[in-house]
Amino acid sequence: MSRELLLLRHAKSSWDDTSLSDRERGLNNRGRRNAPRMGRALSERLSAQPVYVSPARRAQLTLGGLQDGWPPLQEQRHVTEEALYTFDYGEVADWLRSRPDSDMSIFMIGHNPAFTELVNWLAGRRVLDNLPTAGFAHMRLRIDTWADLSPGCGELLETLFPRSLDG
């Protein structure tokens, strides 16, 4: 049996207002432009499904932009997960291990370095140098249950980055 893991790093965040906490930062112009572009591109590759999203404002705004470019995604139930506001891949792996086995596919919006390191850990080797902002990674996991998640159980099937949509 296998499961699917879909990871989207939040779009480019704004550093304009230095009074904001990390959690409160929004998106800059590039981020606001790339989120809907990625939504349109992903809509051509995937079926709409629920998304688990970090509570960070930039992740929430990324989901909104994704939905703008991928309208059927708006009809799905999305879940804000406090556990996804982390930069530690081990914490994300622990969260994944707690998912119900009825979930055959999980789509998450979160942060680096957690997502890049998670991809490499799941692949059992370095297959991704950096998941850029608004970058997407699709993995197949050779596991029967989420609790079975372990190093080397995954295969990176596809990546899609905003820069590849240019031109």
Side-chain angles (χ1 to χ4, degrees), residues 27-155:
L27 299 178
N28 70 10
N29 287 337
R30 187 171 83 188
R32 286 189 297 274
R33 186 174 61 247
N34 281 340
R37 291 174 66 222
M38 288 297 292
R40 283 188 293 280
L42 291 173
S43 74
E44 297 170 2
R45 292 166 167 77
L46 304 168
S47 298
Q49 65 178 291
V51 177
Y52 293 99
V53 60
S54 160
R57 185 164 179 258
R58 60 192 179 275
Q60 297 285 321
L61 291 171
T62 299
L63 175 59
L66 207 63
Q67 292 173 316
D68 290 344
W70 188 359
L73 201 61
Q74 296 171 18
E75 299 163 16
Q76 299 293 317
R77 182 176 163 270
H78 305 299
V79 180
T80 298
E81 278 289 338
E82 187 64 37
L84 297 181
Y85 182 62
T86 183
F87 309 100
D88 180 335
Y89 80 92
E91 292 177 2
V92 178
D94 288 344
W95 180 83
L96 283 167
R97 285 190 193 100
S98 72
R99 296 300 89 212
D101 292 327
S102 57
D103 290 348
M104 298 304 292
S105 176
I106 292 181
F107 192 150
M108 300 187 298
I109 298 176
H111 306 275
N112 252 2
F115 277 11
T116 296
E117 292 171 358
L118 180 67
V119 167
N120 291 325
W121 182 78
L122 290 169
R125 61 190 173 87
R126 188 178 187 90
V127 293
L128 183 63
D129 289 330
N130 178 51
L131 188 63
T133 52
F136 171 78
H138 182 182
M139 297 196 79
R140 177 179 300 126
L141 308 175
R142 296 175 302 279
I143 55 175
D144 292 327
T145 71
W146 288 105
D148 296 335
L149 201 72
S150 61
C153 73
E155 172 190 5

